[in-house]
Amino acid sequence: MVRNDANTNPHRRAEKVQMSATTLRVAPIRTCPAPAADTDLLGDEIQTPRTNSRPEAAALVEVLQALRTHPAVAWAERMNTGAARVGNRFIRFGWPGCPDVLGQLKDGRLLGVEVKAQAGRLRPEQALFLERIRCAGGVAFVARDCRDVLRTLGEAQAP
């Protein structure tokens, strides 16, 4: 089967091109819109680095990373606490005094870490809960950065 259209016949293609230049309007070339300033080439939002407007949140990220990579820690997870209204129900997450991070050491002891900013202070129920963990043989402490984690876990491992 022989095709005889403008794409295969060079003479017709030349005629068509010549005719389109003189009689037909040429549509403008469409280009992709430039990405917004706050998106990458694929249109995903660019994650801005953390600033110090929320020092406790930045400290929590640092402490969690130190705990999850420490050789004495089996696991460590963030405990979300607070409350929310769902419909006409009020749901509370966690319990009073629950530490920011709960985990377990590889020797089986419970790990409780309350993360505070440099100027942050423990509430009485938080101090009480950390003391209960210590009295039961666990490791509980306040961490303001990764140095507190390394120092306390180093002391907890010492014989």
Side-chain angles (χ1 to χ4, degrees):
M1 174 191 244
V2 176
R3 291 177 54 183
N4 193 9
D5 59 8
N7 293 331
T8 59
N9 187 340
H11 301 291
R12 285 197 60 169
R13 188 180 311 137
E15 290 172 11
K16 186 176 182 181
V17 170
Q18 185 180 17
M19 190 174 90
S20 68
T22 58
T23 59
L24 297 177
R25 288 190 170 182
V26 178
I29 297 174
R30 290 188 179 185
T31 59
C32 294
D38 57 347
T39 61
D40 62 10
L41 291 175
L42 300 176
D44 295 331
E45 185 179 338
I46 295 174
Q47 298 294 322
T48 56
R50 289 188 183 261
T51 60
N52 206 12
S53 63
R54 295 178 47 200
E56 191 164 310
L60 180 63
V61 170
E62 184 178 338
V63 166
L64 266 174
Q65 185 176 11
L67 287 169
R68 289 178 176 158
T69 58
H70 197 280
V73 177
W75 60 271
E77 292 298 325
R78 165 83 166 104
M79 295 300 296
N80 288 319
T81 59
R85 183 171 298 280
V86 179
N88 33 341
R89 293 178 52 199
F90 187 73
I91 301 173
R92 184 173 300 279
F93 305 99
W95 56 87
C98 178
D100 293 323
V101 180
L102 279 178
Q104 183 177 9
L105 298 178
K106 288 186 177 175
D107 62 7
R109 292 183 288 169
L110 179 66
L111 174 67
V113 182
E114 185 63 47
V115 180
K116 294 290 180 188
Q118 291 299 326
R121 293 186 304 185
L122 283 177
R123 293 191 317 270
E125 60 269 14
Q126 292 172 328
L128 177 64
F129 198 89
L130 293 179
E131 185 60 31
R132 286 181 176 169
I133 293 174
R134 283 188 215 102
C135 288
V139 176
F141 59 96
V142 177
R144 299 182 190 284
D145 57 21
C146 65
R147 292 176 296 203
D148 293 335
V149 172
L150 298 175
R151 180 179 55 251
T152 306
L153 292 180
E155 292 169 0
Q157 284 182 312

